[in-house]
Short mmCIF file of all heavy atoms in Angstrom, two decimals:
data_model
loop_
_atom_site.label_atom_id
_atom_site.label_comp_id
_atom_site.label_asym_id
_atom_site.label_seq_id
_atom_site.Cartn_x
_atom_site.Cartn_y
_atom_site.Cartn_z
N LEU A 20 33.76 44.82 -18.10
CA LEU A 20 33.70 44.56 -19.54
C LEU A 20 33.53 45.87 -20.32
O LEU A 20 34.21 46.09 -21.34
CB LEU A 20 32.53 43.61 -19.84
CG LEU A 20 32.36 43.20 -21.31
CD1 LEU A 20 33.57 42.41 -21.80
CD2 LEU A 20 31.09 42.38 -21.50
N LEU A 38 38.18 45.96 -5.57
CA LEU A 38 38.09 45.71 -4.12
C LEU A 38 36.70 46.07 -3.59
O LEU A 38 36.09 45.30 -2.84
CB LEU A 38 39.15 46.55 -3.39
CG LEU A 38 40.52 45.93 -3.16
CD1 LEU A 38 41.45 46.94 -2.50
CD2 LEU A 38 40.41 44.69 -2.29
N VAL A 65 18.20 28.05 -3.92
CA VAL A 65 18.84 28.87 -2.89
C VAL A 65 18.53 28.25 -1.54
O VAL A 65 17.37 28.18 -1.14
CB VAL A 65 18.34 30.33 -2.95
CG1 VAL A 65 18.95 31.15 -1.81
CG2 VAL A 65 18.67 30.97 -4.29
N MET A 112 30.86 29.92 -10.47
CA MET A 112 31.00 28.99 -9.35
C MET A 112 29.87 29.17 -8.34
O MET A 112 29.44 28.21 -7.69
CB MET A 112 32.37 29.18 -8.70
CG MET A 112 33.50 28.71 -9.62
SD MET A 112 35.12 28.57 -8.87
CE MET A 112 35.51 30.25 -8.55
N PHE A 121 20.79 19.32 -14.18
CA PHE A 121 22.01 18.89 -14.89
C PHE A 121 22.53 19.98 -15.82
O PHE A 121 23.74 20.19 -15.94
CB PHE A 121 21.72 17.63 -15.71
CG PHE A 121 21.57 16.39 -14.90
CD1 PHE A 121 21.07 15.22 -15.46
CD2 PHE A 121 21.94 16.36 -13.55
CE1 PHE A 121 20.93 14.07 -14.70
CE2 PHE A 121 21.81 15.21 -12.78
CZ PHE A 121 21.30 14.06 -13.38
N ASP A 144 54.51 36.17 -19.47
CA ASP A 144 55.37 35.22 -20.18
C ASP A 144 54.47 34.32 -21.02
O ASP A 144 53.97 33.29 -20.56
CB ASP A 144 56.15 34.38 -19.16
CG ASP A 144 57.12 33.43 -19.84
OD1 ASP A 144 56.97 33.19 -21.05
OD2 ASP A 144 58.03 32.93 -19.15
N ARG A 145 54.24 34.75 -22.27
CA ARG A 145 53.25 34.10 -23.12
C ARG A 145 53.50 32.61 -23.29
O ARG A 145 52.58 31.81 -23.31
CB ARG A 145 53.22 34.78 -24.49
CG ARG A 145 52.58 36.14 -24.48
CD ARG A 145 51.09 36.00 -24.31
NE ARG A 145 50.41 37.28 -24.38
CZ ARG A 145 49.12 37.44 -24.15
NH1 ARG A 145 48.40 36.42 -23.84
NH2 ARG A 145 48.57 38.63 -24.22
N LEU A 147 55.03 30.36 -21.34
CA LEU A 147 54.71 29.59 -20.14
C LEU A 147 53.20 29.57 -19.89
O LEU A 147 52.61 28.52 -19.61
CB LEU A 147 55.43 30.22 -18.94
CG LEU A 147 55.62 29.35 -17.70
CD1 LEU A 147 56.41 28.10 -18.04
CD2 LEU A 147 56.33 30.15 -16.63
N GLY A 148 52.57 30.74 -20.00
CA GLY A 148 51.13 30.84 -19.73
C GLY A 148 50.31 30.08 -20.75
O GLY A 148 49.36 29.36 -20.39
N LYS A 154 47.34 22.97 -21.79
CA LYS A 154 47.29 21.69 -21.05
C LYS A 154 46.05 21.62 -20.17
O LYS A 154 45.35 20.61 -20.12
CB LYS A 154 48.55 21.54 -20.18
CG LYS A 154 49.79 21.17 -20.95
CD LYS A 154 50.97 21.01 -20.00
CE LYS A 154 52.24 20.67 -20.76
NZ LYS A 154 53.42 20.65 -19.88
N ARG A 187 15.45 11.77 -4.64
CA ARG A 187 14.33 10.90 -4.27
C ARG A 187 14.42 9.55 -4.99
O ARG A 187 13.99 8.53 -4.46
CB ARG A 187 13.00 11.59 -4.60
CG ARG A 187 12.69 12.80 -3.73
CD ARG A 187 11.26 13.26 -3.93
NE ARG A 187 11.05 13.80 -5.26
CZ ARG A 187 11.25 15.06 -5.60
NH1 ARG A 187 11.66 15.91 -4.68
NH2 ARG A 187 11.04 15.48 -6.83
N PHE A 216 43.07 12.47 -8.31
CA PHE A 216 43.68 11.51 -9.22
C PHE A 216 42.58 10.72 -9.92
O PHE A 216 41.62 10.30 -9.27
CB PHE A 216 44.58 10.55 -8.42
CG PHE A 216 45.23 9.49 -9.26
CD1 PHE A 216 46.47 9.71 -9.81
CD2 PHE A 216 44.59 8.27 -9.49
CE1 PHE A 216 47.08 8.73 -10.59
CE2 PHE A 216 45.19 7.31 -10.28
CZ PHE A 216 46.42 7.53 -10.83
N TYR A 226 49.40 25.61 -12.21
CA TYR A 226 49.88 26.43 -11.09
C TYR A 226 51.19 27.12 -11.45
O TYR A 226 51.40 28.30 -11.18
CB TYR A 226 50.10 25.57 -9.84
CG TYR A 226 48.87 25.27 -9.03
CD1 TYR A 226 47.69 24.86 -9.63
CD2 TYR A 226 48.89 25.37 -7.65
CE1 TYR A 226 46.57 24.55 -8.88
CE2 TYR A 226 47.77 25.07 -6.88
CZ TYR A 226 46.61 24.65 -7.51
OH TYR A 226 45.51 24.36 -6.76
N GLY A 247 31.79 22.05 -2.96
CA GLY A 247 30.35 22.33 -2.81
C GLY A 247 29.51 21.48 -3.74
O GLY A 247 28.56 20.81 -3.30
N LEU A 263 30.17 2.43 -5.26
CA LEU A 263 30.53 3.85 -5.29
C LEU A 263 31.48 4.19 -4.14
O LEU A 263 32.49 4.88 -4.33
CB LEU A 263 29.27 4.71 -5.22
CG LEU A 263 29.50 6.22 -5.25
CD1 LEU A 263 30.14 6.64 -6.57
CD2 LEU A 263 28.19 6.98 -5.03
N ALA A 282 54.95 15.73 -4.15
CA ALA A 282 55.29 17.04 -3.57
C ALA A 282 56.69 17.05 -2.98
O ALA A 282 57.36 18.08 -2.96
CB ALA A 282 54.26 17.43 -2.52
N LEU A 326 40.45 27.19 2.13
CA LEU A 326 40.44 28.57 1.64
C LEU A 326 41.43 29.43 2.41
O LEU A 326 42.25 30.16 1.84
CB LEU A 326 39.02 29.15 1.74
CG LEU A 326 38.85 30.62 1.36
CD1 LEU A 326 39.06 30.80 -0.13
CD2 LEU A 326 37.47 31.13 1.75
N ALA A 332 49.27 30.84 2.32
CA ALA A 332 50.54 30.40 1.70
C ALA A 332 50.79 31.19 0.41
O ALA A 332 51.92 31.61 0.14
CB ALA A 332 50.47 28.90 1.42
N GLU A 350 64.66 30.03 -2.33
CA GLU A 350 64.59 31.49 -2.37
C GLU A 350 63.87 32.07 -1.14
O GLU A 350 63.80 33.28 -0.97
CB GLU A 350 63.89 31.94 -3.65
CG GLU A 350 64.69 31.67 -4.92
CD GLU A 350 63.95 32.08 -6.18
OE1 GLU A 350 64.01 33.26 -6.53
OE2 GLU A 350 63.32 31.21 -6.78
N ALA A 390 34.32 11.27 10.99
CA ALA A 390 33.17 10.88 10.16
C ALA A 390 33.42 9.54 9.49
O ALA A 390 32.53 8.68 9.42
CB ALA A 390 32.89 11.97 9.11
N VAL A 400 41.38 5.60 7.20
CA VAL A 400 41.86 6.65 8.11
C VAL A 400 43.32 6.41 8.47
O VAL A 400 44.12 7.35 8.56
CB VAL A 400 40.98 6.69 9.39
CG1 VAL A 400 41.58 7.63 10.43
CG2 VAL A 400 39.56 7.13 9.03
N GLU A 425 70.23 30.46 5.25
CA GLU A 425 70.66 31.84 4.99
C GLU A 425 70.80 32.03 3.48
O GLU A 425 71.26 31.13 2.78
CB GLU A 425 72.00 32.11 5.66
CG GLU A 425 71.91 32.16 7.18
CD GLU A 425 70.96 33.24 7.69
OE1 GLU A 425 70.90 34.30 7.06
OE2 GLU A 425 70.29 33.01 8.71
N ARG A 434 59.36 44.86 1.37
CA ARG A 434 58.45 45.97 1.63
C ARG A 434 57.02 45.46 1.49
O ARG A 434 56.52 45.22 0.39
CB ARG A 434 58.69 47.11 0.64
CG ARG A 434 60.00 47.84 0.92
CD ARG A 434 60.10 49.11 0.11
NE ARG A 434 60.08 48.85 -1.32
CZ ARG A 434 60.06 49.79 -2.24
NH1 ARG A 434 60.05 51.07 -1.88
NH2 ARG A 434 60.05 49.49 -3.52
N LEU A 471 20.93 19.77 2.92
CA LEU A 471 21.02 18.87 1.77
C LEU A 471 20.12 17.66 1.91
O LEU A 471 19.77 17.01 0.92
CB LEU A 471 22.47 18.35 1.61
CG LEU A 471 23.53 19.34 1.18
CD1 LEU A 471 24.90 18.69 1.27
CD2 LEU A 471 23.27 19.79 -0.24
#
Side-chain angles (χ1 to χ4, degrees):
L20 182 63
L38 269 177
V65 176
M112 291 192 292
F121 287 168
D144 184 343
R145 287 288 183 185
L147 200 59
K154 284 181 182 174
R187 291 191 293 272
F216 178 91
Y226 278 46
L263 181 63
L326 176 69
E350 292 178 83
V400 172
E425 291 300 325
R434 288 191 298 175
L471 291 172

